[in-house]
Amino acid sequence: MRKPLALTLGAMLVAASVWAQEPAEVPLYFAVGIPDANVPNVDGSNADWKWVDKSFEVTIEDMHALTGSADNADDLFIDILVGWNQSKNSMYAMIHSHDDFLIVDKNPSCTFRDDNCEVHFDPDNQGGGPYSAPADQDLQPAFQMCLSFSDQFPRVQMYNGALGNFNQSAFDFWWTHSGDFVKANMVNQGQEYYYEFSAILFDPLSVSGGPDASTKWVLAPEQTIGMSISVDDADEGVNANGVLGQEDLCDGGCPDGFFWQAQFSMSEQFMNSGGMPDIFLTAPGTSTAVESTSWGQLKTLVKEDI
């Protein structure tokens, strides 16, 4: 997402604000509408994303450092493409990071403290995060997925407050069906790391009943969903808080050290309870993200009839 695009949208919203309430102040990004002929193989290769216009790309420069920092592009660089396909009713993403060190399984009970990719979903875009609803509530409005290079834990994990934080029930829940609803592949090539996934979304998601008791979310052109992608960067040495191997920030769950140097996110805040970015679903055939700043988009964002 290039910054001029955000400025263009801002000008349009100012013009529209005379008769419509301004939307919540959360970041806005664009998902490319993927034609059926261009649906990517979820294999961890970005080769079948080459057709996507650069205006849809989100880089580390468009993201927010929620903790720590990156020294330069050799230390850490990130670029992301988000897409969706109507026929498969699925969200897609290709996340690439250049990272000078790959840190995995330093924290086998907290893979997000290693090099990792976190994805948060709030399909109805009501502002919730994966820990915003009561933990004893069966129908949960938001959930989180972690993608990792771990050799000790599942490389794809889903959880939220009701499922607990990386306990066995969280690993078991829903993933017996994961091939039906979620596909992911992670590839490491030297200092280049690729995370790719497709996901059919649910809102609400049933903790006790699994997919059969959950409501499948139907994606549509010019819809705005809540979704955020974060990249966690761990490096050997001093972590983001200036202390090597600090464990207390893991609440006792990271016994083997803490090397989390930085987290860069599409969100402006940690996704525990809300602040989910807006992801606008552009219509298939829209060649650039700029073209999607339409009246349909404005109506979706301000949730008013213009």
Side-chain angles (χ1 to χ4, degrees):
M1 183 187 71
R2 303 275 67 86
K3 290 176 174 57
L5 179 145
L7 293 174
T8 300
L9 174 63
M12 295 177 69
L13 289 175
V14 169
S17 64
V18 295
W19 61 83
Q21 182 180 359
E22 287 191 33
E25 292 185 5
V26 297
L28 168 68
Y29 303 92
F30 297 88
V32 62
I34 302 175
D36 291 344
N38 292 105
V39 171
N41 294 318
V42 182
D43 55 7
S45 168
N46 63 358
D48 43 10
W49 291 83
K50 299 295 187 183
W51 62 275
V52 180
D53 188 81
K54 283 290 187 179
S55 65
F56 287 96
E57 186 178 66
V58 178
T59 75
I60 192 171
E61 296 175 353
D62 305 309
M63 301 171 75
H64 305 272
L66 300 189
T67 187
S69 63
D71 294 336
N72 49 49
D74 290 331
D75 177 25
L76 179 68
F77 185 77
I78 303 164
D79 55 271
I80 297 171
L81 289 171
V82 178
W84 74 287
N85 175 262
Q86 190 161 19
S87 297
K88 295 187 179 294
N89 192 35
S90 294
M91 295 298 301
Y92 291 81
M94 164 54 67
I95 301 100
H96 162 251
S97 67
H98 171 91
D99 189 0
D100 49 359
F101 296 106
L102 175 63
I103 304 295
V104 294
D105 290 330
K106 292 287 187 180
N107 301 296
S109 62
C110 304
T111 58
F112 61 92
R113 294 297 190 191
D114 296 327
D115 286 319
N116 182 77
C117 178
E118 302 181 48
V119 188
H120 300 79
F121 299 102
D122 175 27
D124 69 1
N125 205 24
Q126 293 301 301
Y131 294 89
S132 59
D136 58 356
Q137 178 176 304
D138 181 65
L139 294 176
Q140 291 285 316
F143 49 96
Q144 178 172 356
M145 177 169 68
C146 274
L147 306 174
S148 78
F149 291 93
S150 174
D151 291 324
Q152 300 184 24
F153 275 74
R155 290 190 169 198
V156 182
Q157 303 160 2
M158 175 175 287
Y159 62 97
N160 72 355
L163 296 173
N165 190 5
F166 288 96
N167 56 34
Q168 191 58 44
S169 64
F171 295 145
D172 292 341
F173 175 77
W174 210 45
W175 294 115
T176 54
H177 309 278
S178 64
D180 295 329
F181 305 110
V182 173
K183 295 180 174 63
N185 221 316
M186 283 66 77
V187 173
N188 169 218
Q189 297 176 340
Q191 294 182 333
E192 311 304 320
Y193 310 100
Y194 300 89
Y195 307 86
E196 186 176 22
F197 71 85
S198 67
I200 293 174
L201 307 184
F202 293 85
D203 195 343
L205 183 150
S206 172
V207 175
S208 65
D212 292 340
S214 303
T215 300
K216 188 177 294 185
W217 187 258
V218 179
L219 302 171
E222 296 196 345
Q223 184 182 95
T224 303
I225 67 168
M227 178 176 158
S228 182
I229 296 175
S230 304
V231 173
D232 305 325
D233 179 31
D235 283 340
E236 293 277 7
V238 178
N239 66 26
N241 296 284
V243 181
L244 176 62
Q246 184 172 332
E247 296 177 9
D248 57 349
L249 294 182
C250 298
D251 297 322
C254 301
D256 297 327
F258 176 33
F259 301 99
W260 205 29
Q261 176 178 291
Q263 184 190 61
F264 281 84
S265 177
M266 292 168 64
S267 172
E268 294 182 336
Q269 66 184 61
F270 287 104
M271 285 280 78
N272 290 349
S273 59
M276 199 79 71
D278 289 323
I279 304 292
F280 181 77
L281 308 186
T282 64
T286 304
S287 60
T288 70
V290 176
E291 290 180 7
S292 63
T293 53
S294 65
W295 286 115
Q297 173 196 344
L298 287 175
K299 288 195 290 184
T300 302
L301 290 176
V302 299
K303 299 185 175 57
E304 295 278 348
D305 290 328
I306 296 177

